[in-house]
Amino acid sequence: MSLLEMSNIKKSFKQLEVLKDISLHVNEGEVVSIIGPSGSGKSTLLRCATTLETVDSGDIRYLEDYLCRTNSGGRAVYADKAVQRRIKECFGLVFQNFNLFPHYSVKKNITAALTLVHKKSKAEANAKAAELLEKMGLADKAGAYPCQLSGGQQQRVSIARALALNPKILFFDEPTSALDPELTGEILKVIQSLAKEKMTMVIVTHEMLFARDVSDRVIFMDDGYIIEEGPPKEVIDNPQSERTKTFLNRILE
């Protein structure tokens, strides 16, 4: 079953065309990694999928709900607020810079949206936070504040916060780019464990070997286009496009 369909997506910032007719789908239980050079449009695509940016034209659909559709004038028209709220409950987003609330404890970072937005009881929210912190290996950090944690620990808290809302699909925007190599490994292990649980994920990453190991499908983007996509053993180990080959040779060397 397709959870997300993006069709003919175009996005410009003033005169700079960043996404040029992008189409992709994500199936339930699938892990899709998006790779490519800086400036290729990867993060912008993710931001459009998660409502942080609006598209100029194209259709975005989550399950049966359309976030936006192109009208007869060729412009994207967005759904009403009720539909957008329903769509936002479908996904979670993990940022590269953690985006934790510095004045909230670890536990409150996880429980705030549960109690304030989703109207869960304090007991229910606390139980969910405890369960996820145990899963992330941070059971002893519930009362700590973000400034007291390592970068890897902060990123695990942000993953727990995203998972707390039971999303159908989880987006990662370069989740290890702010971490040193030692801490990168612990985050990649968490993502691998989620993949084994069949969590649907879309991951923008520069970690090529990780993308090859964890993904069901890899998408290579460059200059606002999808250049190549397919199983990781094909795209990463045996790319067909010369542009993909050049990029991977430079990265993997």
Side-chain angles (χ1 to χ4, degrees):
M1 178 176 66
S2 179
L3 292 184
L4 170 64
E5 293 273 355
M6 302 181 74
S7 305
N8 308 116
I9 301 299
K10 295 183 180 180
K11 172 67 178 177
S12 296
F13 294 101
K14 295 185 178 179
Q15 301 304 313
L16 178 63
E17 193 176 11
V18 179
L19 300 177
K20 306 170 183 177
D21 200 20
I22 295 281
S23 295
L24 65 85
H25 68 278
V26 181
N27 294 323
E28 185 176 18
E30 187 178 33
V31 178
V32 177
S33 289
I34 304 176
I35 64 173
S38 297
S40 60
K42 307 183 301 297
S43 291
T44 298
L45 183 64
L46 219 63
R47 290 177 65 83
C48 290
T50 56
T51 74
L52 295 177
E53 297 285 356
T54 57
V55 302
D56 299 326
S57 64
D59 300 348
I60 301 176
R61 178 171 60 85
Y62 281 89
L63 294 172
E64 302 305 316
D65 286 325
Y66 277 90
L67 174 63
C68 63
R69 303 184 82 167
T70 301
N71 65 13
S72 58
R75 305 296 295 178
V77 177
Y78 274 74
D80 60 35
K81 290 183 178 179
V83 172
Q84 290 197 42
R85 278 196 301 270
R86 191 160 63 234
I87 285 172
K88 288 177 181 179
E89 292 179 355
C90 286
F91 63 79
L93 175 59
V94 177
F95 299 90
Q96 56 184 298
N97 292 316
F98 324 135
N99 282 27
L100 298 175
F101 295 111
H103 57 294
Y104 283 0
S105 68
V106 164
K107 182 172 73 173
K108 191 171 181 181
N109 263 283
I110 297 170
T111 61
L114 288 171
T115 56
L116 299 175
V117 179
H118 293 266
K119 307 305 180 184
K120 302 291 186 184
S121 70
K122 186 175 180 180
E124 190 176 358
N126 287 342
K128 187 67 174 179
E131 172 195 332
L132 288 167
L133 288 173
E134 180 71 33
K135 183 175 184 174
M136 295 292 144
L138 296 170
D140 60 335
K141 300 296 183 182
Y145 286 81
C147 64
Q148 298 172 308
L149 304 180
S150 69
Q153 289 171 330
Q154 290 186 62
Q155 191 62 295
R156 279 183 278 159
V157 173
S158 70
I159 294 171
R161 180 178 61 182
L163 289 172
L165 302 178
N166 295 317
K168 291 181 171 61
I169 181 169
L170 195 56
F171 293 93
F172 292 86
D173 186 9
E174 299 186 16
T176 62
S177 66
L179 304 176
D180 63 40
E182 186 175 2
L183 297 178
T184 291
E186 67 184 59
I187 299 305
L188 299 184
K189 286 179 182 177
V190 169
I191 298 174
Q192 285 174 324
S193 71
L194 293 174
K196 289 178 182 177
E197 296 171 8
K198 295 299 180 183
M199 181 75 208
T200 308
M201 293 183 282
V202 178
I203 308 166
V204 170
T205 183
H206 288 297
E207 302 286 340
M208 295 302 112
L209 299 182
F210 167 72
R212 183 182 64 189
D213 292 342
V214 79
S215 306
D216 298 298
R217 187 156 44 94
V218 171
I219 292 172
F220 173 69
M221 287 182 63
D222 187 36
D223 193 30
Y225 292 102
I226 290 178
I227 305 299
E228 190 166 352
E229 69 175 297
K233 289 187 181 298
E234 293 180 11
V235 175
I236 293 178
D237 293 343
N238 188 31
Q240 301 304 301
S241 163
E242 286 302 320
R243 182 65 189 96
T244 313
K245 291 178 184 177
T246 300
F247 171 77
L248 288 170
N249 284 340
R250 187 175 73 248
I251 293 295
L252 295 175
E253 282 176 357

